[in-house]
Amino acid sequence: MIGYVPGDGFLHRRNAVTKLSWAASLSATVFLLPGARMVWAVVALVALTTAAAGLARRLIRPVLTVLLPFGISLALLQGLFNPDNTTTLLSLGPVSFGLQGILYGTLILGRLATVLLTFFLLLLTTTPKQLTAGLAARGVSPRFGYAILAAIEFVPDMQRRSQAVLAAQQARGLDVRGGIGQRIRAFSSLLGPLITGALIASDTRAMALEARGFSRTGTRTHLALERYGAADRTAVWISGLLFLAALTLKVVRPV
């Protein structure tokens, strides 16, 4: 599971908005670049940044868990069925893999790798509170910031809740080691408490937010203050310029 890793590296010291802008900019940029070489150059740049920040070990397993099966599927589907296939790369009897399909699959895989790496880096070096505080300090609506916070914490929260429900049900004698029928019945026994607990937690959180004046307007103060200095402003401008450069290249050299 990807989550915040405490540290004092150069990525940890950057403002949350800066890292979010870079993740969004690079993710959008790779979908505008015309070729796989440029896309994988961006992937290499992000990978070097990850290694320099000392986070490569934390990212290798989750990234490969997603990329390997997706890459194999892309190679099979695009190599076999891409309509642009004109050059045969490999033939196995009546089955042939086209070069153009493999190249297109490589392009798609590079784009996915960029999105995963950039946003995983954001999650590893930024707490949800830092992200919402940084967005609020830049004038973003607190409701939008809370929506982002809830989206980030949804999967880890549901994983913790499901493990607690499973442990409680097993303590009551629930058997989850049988056949497919037994597993389906066990799943139904877990689903009810999981949904009920999630609804109760969301209602409790809503009441807690209102008790703290979440819906009130006016000037707000924040417990977590995010510094936004000249280096952060420069980085945000550079990320925007990279996106504009990729957009210009897309217009000048349409694929």
Side-chain angles (χ1 to χ4, degrees), residues 22-101:
W22 267 97
S25 176
L26 288 180
S27 298
T29 297
V30 293
F31 282 90
L32 297 173
L33 293 177
R37 291 182 180 179
M38 292 185 179
V39 171
W40 280 99
V42 175
V43 175
L45 176 63
V46 178
L48 288 175
T49 304
T50 304
L55 298 170
R57 291 186 178 181
R58 296 299 300 265
L59 279 181
I60 288 177
R61 183 173 181 179
V63 170
L64 290 181
T65 300
V66 177
L67 291 184
L68 281 179
F70 191 77
I72 293 173
S73 302
L74 272 177
L76 291 175
L77 293 175
Q78 296 295 332
L80 291 173
F81 305 113
N82 193 301
D84 295 329
N85 285 335
T86 56
T87 304
T88 300
L89 185 65
L90 177 65
S91 294
L92 297 174
V95 178
S96 61
F97 290 86
L99 176 62
Q100 287 73 23

Side-chain angles (χ1 to χ4, degrees), residues 128 131-132 135 140-154 205 209 214:
L131 182 58
T132 53
L135 290 173
V140 177
S141 169
R143 296 180 183 275
F144 181 74
Y146 176 73
I148 294 179
L149 174 64
I152 292 175
E153 293 186 336
F154 176 76
R205 181 175 295 185
L209 288 172
F214 182 74

Side-chain angles (χ1 to χ4, degrees), residues 86-200:
T86 56
T87 304
T88 300
L89 185 65
L90 177 65
S91 294
L92 297 174
V95 178
S96 61
F97 290 86
L99 176 62
Q100 287 73 23
I102 297 296
L103 292 177
Y104 182 72
T106 303
L107 173 65
I108 299 299
L109 188 65
R111 289 170 174 171
L112 176 62
T114 303
V115 174
L116 287 177
L117 284 172
T118 53
F119 279 96
F120 280 177
L121 274 179
L122 174 67
L123 295 177
L124 286 174
T125 59
T126 310
T127 64
K129 292 181 180 179
Q130 289 174 337
L131 182 58
T132 53
L135 290 173
R138 304 310 301 166
V140 177
S141 169
R143 296 180 183 275
F144 181 74
Y146 176 73
I148 294 179
L149 174 64
I152 292 175
E153 293 186 336
F154 176 76
V155 173
D157 183 63
M158 291 301 291
Q159 286 180 332
R160 289 190 296 267
R161 195 179 303 278
S162 62
Q163 291 172 358
V165 171
L166 177 61
Q169 295 289 58
Q170 285 180 318
R172 294 180 175 89
L174 179 67
D175 185 13
V176 296
R177 296 173 299 176
I180 184 65
Q182 179 65 28
R183 290 177 183 271
I184 292 175
R185 288 192 292 271
F187 178 75
S188 62
S189 300
L190 296 174
L191 193 59
L194 185 62
I195 295 177
T196 303
L199 292 175
I200 294 174

